[in-house]
Amino acid sequence: AHCMVSGTGLTHRKSSANRDAMHQLDGAVSSVTDSMRMYQWGAEAGHPDPGAIGVQPEWFYKGSGAVLRAHGDDLNIPDFAEDGGEEPEIAGAYVVGFDGSPYRVGLVTANEFSDHRMERRNYLYLAPSKLRCCAIGPELIAGASFDSIDGDVRVERGGATVWSQHITTGEANMVHSLANLEHHHFKYPEHRLPGIAHIHFFGADAFSFGDGIELRDGDVMEVVWKGFGRPLRNSLSVARSRSQLWKARPL
């Protein structure tokens, strides 16, 4: 309850291209989608001079700390979801001091995990498509450089790799600087409440859904970043129950 989990998308070229393809209407190529327009804004003004404020990035809410999973935990597709897929990222871990100032504790390997099929149905479903569990760990890196970071992501099925990709992140590979992302997250007074922790995802370079891969129950997702310790591994779990109708009862 004292942790906010959120993120920023459209920070990497590859994922922006995947998002752009998802949001083309009926396969027809439009001039510029909102996704590519926001990406371009970042390319033009996401790395402001020191002390200056850059363009506002995309921002989304994932949930409270209850959505966080650890290395080795399952990431589940709930009964109301349409899909679930990995998003290999790095996330910042923060705590707000008693003076209301945010402090970065460190950076951590992360799997943001989203419902890409739901998002593809309509761009306005982006918000609910992000309301899923996600994983961080297994190690928190204090004082890590966020300049240019190389990594790998893979999906394993029955012990064999069915998809893999070399990935990059860090400021040299993103259209927003870390300082700009942090400013636009913590500019809101409600995000600077003393004693609150924050996990904020910085965006993905690639994900298997963009290559037409559909994850199955039991698949293992692995994310590893050079210099960030051991790989983060999580299994996919698909809910077996039927979707339940929830009613609010009057008091």
Side-chain angles (χ1 to χ4, degrees):
H2 295 277
C3 178
M4 173 186 285
V5 185
S6 57
T8 297
L10 303 175
T11 52
H12 297 71
R13 177 71 188 185
K14 289 182 183 178
S15 62
S16 299
N18 284 333
R19 180 91 69 87
D20 179 62
M22 273 196 271
H23 300 144
Q24 298 287 354
L25 297 177
D26 300 323
V29 178
S30 60
S31 55
V32 182
T33 65
D34 285 338
S35 295
M36 290 308 293
R37 185 174 290 112
M38 285 202 70
Y39 175 84
Q40 188 60 36
W41 289 344
E44 294 170 355
H47 280 263
D49 294 333
I53 296 174
V55 68
Q56 178 171 268
E58 181 193 46
W59 186 95
F60 56 83
Y61 175 71
K62 285 196 68 71
S64 70
V67 304
L68 291 173
R69 302 291 183 269
H71 167 68
D73 286 347
D74 286 349
L75 295 179
N76 68 295
I77 299 178
D79 52 25
F80 54 81
E82 298 187 31
D83 192 18
E86 88 296 330
E87 292 207 16
E89 308 188 20
I90 286 177
Y94 304 88
V95 64
V96 181
F98 292 117
D99 61 352
S101 298
Y103 295 88
R104 187 189 322 121
V105 182
L107 304 177
V108 61
T109 300
N111 183 346
E112 196 248 297
F113 197 68
S114 298
D115 190 335
H116 302 110
R117 191 180 298 274
M118 176 179 288
E119 180 193 347
R120 186 174 62 180
R121 186 179 295 275
N122 190 295
Y123 185 74
L124 296 180
Y125 281 152
L126 172 69
S129 78
K130 294 295 188 181
L131 296 176
R132 302 291 185 270
C133 60
C134 53
I136 58 173
E139 299 179 49
L140 178 71
I141 311 301
S145 168
F146 195 63
D147 179 25
S148 184
I149 304 164
D150 290 296
D152 292 282
V153 55
R154 64 178 50 87
V155 174
E156 299 174 3
R157 183 174 298 157
T161 298
V162 296
W163 177 84
S164 65
Q165 191 86 266
H166 179 72
I167 48 178
T168 58
T169 191
E171 291 182 296
N173 305 294
M174 296 167 60
V175 295
H176 288 274
S177 66
L178 179 59
N180 197 50
L181 297 181
E182 291 176 336
H183 162 76
H184 284 291
H185 179 67
F186 289 110
K187 68 184 180 184
Y188 302 102
E190 297 81 4
H191 293 183
R192 300 194 307 273
L193 299 178
I196 300 298
H198 292 258
I199 299 293
H200 190 78
F201 292 83
F202 298 142
D205 184 42
F207 45 87
S208 61
F209 183 83
D211 288 338
I213 304 296
E214 183 175 345
L215 269 59
R216 301 175 186 174
D217 192 41
D219 284 355
V220 176
M221 301 158 282
E222 179 181 281
V223 183
V224 58
W225 294 106
K226 185 177 180 180
F228 278 69
R230 293 168 291 160
L232 170 63
R233 291 174 60 87
N234 299 92
S235 295
L236 183 75
S237 174
V238 181
R240 304 294 183 185
S241 59
R242 296 181 60 183
S243 189
Q244 177 182 350
L245 177 64
W246 291 91
K247 292 185 177 181
R249 295 177 293 177
L251 288 174

